[in-house]
Amino acid sequence: MRIERAEVLVTSPGRNFVTLRITTTDGVVGLGDATLNGRELAVVSYLRDHLVPLLVGREANDIEDTWQYLYRGAYWRRGPVTMSAIAAVDMALWDIKGKVAGLPVYQLLGGRSRRGGLAYGHASGSTLEALFTSVRNHLDEGFRAIRIQTGVPGLKKIYGVGGDQARGQKYDYEPAGRTAVPVEEDWDTRFYLQHIPGVFEAVRAEFGAGLPLLHDAHHRLTPNQAAQLGRSLEPYDLFWLEDCTPAENQEALRRVRAMTTTPLAIGEVLNSVHDYQTLITEQLIDYVRSSVTHGGGITAMRKLMDFAAIYGIRSGFHGPTDISPVGMAAALHLSIALHNFGIVEYMPHNAQTLEVFRTGYTFTDGLLDPGEAPGLGVEVDDELAATFPYTPAYLPVNRLLDGTVHDW
């Protein structure tokens, strides 16, 4: 069973998605997610111009060999564009293998390790009152773990804080603005560090000690500032503090780890096991945050998580709406099979996206399940996808109050 053709689909039902579709000589179709927020067309070109010509005629069953061929066979390795493209090929081949076997992909990975994967939702608000409303809305939807983000006095707009919700309204936040250039937001670390501990004190007082709470610092702190935040949040028993400092400098986490017991989640922008080597071997983190879409696919992320398991580190796969339903399904199949699963991020896609991508995964009582359909369990409606053409969109740029460009 060989690869007969490979097509790259681009659609934008509310946001941009890149999908690779591989068809075999036996007519079996597999889908892979190659979406890279704000740089989608770079991956499109990488796939169309460089990988698709290499795929036609290859044996579709040989997933491991194909992964190594695309990774080791190129002089230029790693990076988000390369790894997202390889991930799409990998997912599509796992999808095909599952369909040929008549089994969901998680069964091919060893079967279930749990009945469902605990998911966390995103609650935010410009004020405490608005934040509390968002938390209640998420609890009503069935979430049993919630990320807390809030406005900061003195700052106009902060990434991760959507528009304030009315009671009963669903959270539907799209940070990628459909503009010719990125929107610029402001930032002041001192204001933030002074404000956030009081937010968690108020949330704990309102919702009790039992609700798992998470927080994302979006790489904006120095190691000392990250350690200060971690220590100040210790009384509120966070499930994790995410991306507290830029992760490229793996050694910086030694400083943070030495000064706080707050669990740390790192890796949303990392895409290779090499990016994690120090973080894992020195046990500087508690959760791996990469996505299956940006981390080289199911094959690569399974190996990364097996490596992490040796050191007691668990998964916390990146899963917002800039991962397509195909990528989300791939993450769920892996999450169900992993022994060292921790939690999975879940932002439900909008109605238009779920009409383009028909999914088989479910969310019940706070748990996500990949479903029992053969393969990944996601199909795409070509005709409907074509009615949503690509539109340039960018995540915001961050500046200090004096105008200096700052880290995410």
Side-chain angles (χ1 to χ4, degrees):
M1 183 177 65
R2 297 192 175 273
I3 296 173
E4 184 171 79
R5 64 181 180 274
E7 309 157 89
V8 183
L9 313 175
V10 182
T11 184
S12 188
R15 71 180 309 153
N16 297 314
F17 298 110
V18 179
T19 306
L20 178 68
R21 179 167 58 204
I22 293 177
T23 305
T24 72
T25 50
D26 294 350
V28 184
V29 175
L31 300 178
D33 181 24
T35 306
L36 185 62
N37 198 344
R39 296 295 184 268
E40 297 91 353
L41 298 186
V43 190
V44 170
S45 175
Y46 195 102
L47 284 167
R48 284 180 177 164
D49 299 332
H50 303 291
L51 294 197
V52 167
L54 305 180
L55 294 174
V56 176
R58 289 189 63 83
E59 175 55 60
N61 283 314
D62 296 344
I63 298 176
E64 177 71 21
D65 183 69
T66 297
W67 196 97
Q68 300 295 346
Y69 178 76
L70 298 178
Y71 179 81
R72 297 184 186 278
Y75 185 77
W76 304 105
R77 299 182 183 181
R78 301 165 60 187
V81 174
T82 295
M83 298 305 281
S84 297
I86 293 175
V89 176
D90 187 74
M91 284 182 214
L93 294 182
W94 277 106
D95 193 19
I96 288 169
K97 190 174 286 288
K99 289 174 179 175
V100 170
L103 293 170
V105 166
Y106 79 80
Q107 291 287 12
L108 306 181
L109 299 173
R112 285 183 180 270
S113 289
R114 59 196 50 81
R115 63 183 179 87
L118 178 66
Y120 73 88
H122 293 195
S124 73
S126 62
T127 64
L128 277 178
E129 181 181 3
L131 174 63
F132 288 178
T133 297
S134 184
V135 172
R136 293 188 182 99
N137 286 342
H138 280 80
L139 293 174
D140 290 345
E141 291 172 24
F143 282 97
R144 290 162 35 189
I146 298 177
R147 192 185 80 167
I148 300 296
Q149 308 293 136
T150 184
V152 174
L155 301 180
K156 297 176 184 176
K157 183 172 175 56
I158 299 175
Y159 180 80
V161 179
D164 292 345
Q165 298 171 258
R167 192 73 174 96
Q169 181 180 353
K170 284 187 176 292
Y171 186 90
D172 189 14
Y173 170 53
E174 173 48 74
R178 295 187 170 230
T179 54
V181 296
V183 171
E184 296 189 1
E185 298 179 350
D186 54 5
W187 183 253
D188 186 284
T189 303
R190 184 167 172 266
F191 291 171
Y192 166 77
L193 292 176
Q194 289 174 342
H195 182 64
I196 288 300
V199 170
F200 277 89
E201 180 180 25
V203 171
R204 278 289 180 228
E206 183 71 17
F207 296 98
L211 179 64
L213 301 178
L214 305 87
H215 180 66
D216 190 348
H218 291 117
H219 312 104
R220 295 183 175 184
L221 309 178
T222 66
N224 270 357
Q225 291 167 344
Q228 177 185 340
L229 179 62
R231 290 181 67 175
S232 70
L233 294 177
E234 285 176 8
Y236 311 113
D237 187 27
L238 266 65
F239 188 96
W240 78 34
L241 172 61
E242 177 184 347
D243 287 338
C244 57
T245 193
E248 295 92 334
N249 181 7
Q250 296 183 45
E251 293 80 2
L253 271 295
R254 294 173 183 154
R255 177 74 170 167
V256 183
R257 190 59 135 185
M259 295 181 66
T260 180
T261 59
T262 295
L264 302 176
I266 291 288
E268 185 173 313
V269 298
L270 303 183
N271 48 71
S272 162
V273 66
H274 302 287
D275 298 323
Y276 282 97
Q277 191 167 353
T278 298
L279 298 176
I280 289 175
T281 57
E282 296 189 19
Q283 301 174 71
L284 301 180
I285 61 173
D286 300 279
Y287 297 92
V288 167
R289 277 288 290 142
S290 291
S291 68
V292 177
T293 297
H294 304 135
I298 293 171
T299 297
M301 289 301 293
R302 177 62 182 263
K303 293 176 181 178
L304 172 59
M305 292 313 305
D306 286 345
F307 176 40
I310 299 172
Y311 299 91
I313 296 168
R314 296 188 286 171
S315 68
F317 296 145
H318 183 56
T321 47
D322 62 3
I323 305 297
S324 87
V326 178
M328 191 70 202
L332 295 182
H333 282 277
L334 183 53
S335 294
I336 286 294
L338 285 175
H339 177 261
N340 57 325
F341 169 81
I343 200 168
V344 63
E345 181 177 16
Y346 181 47
M347 289 180 66
H349 289 94
N350 65 30
Q352 287 181 330
T353 297
L354 294 176
E355 290 171 359
V356 172
F357 296 92
R358 296 187 295 273
T359 62
Y361 55 80
T362 58
F363 177 66
T364 306
D365 192 27
L367 303 179
L368 281 163
D369 186 274
E372 297 300 317
L376 294 176
V378 180
E379 303 297 333
V380 64
D381 184 326
D382 280 28
E383 291 187 6
L384 187 56
T387 66
F388 298 105
Y390 168 81
T391 305
Y394 296 95
L395 293 173
V397 169
N398 200 38
R399 289 186 183 271
L400 300 179
L401 296 182
D402 69 359
T404 304
V405 173
H406 190 54
D407 286 315
W408 262 84

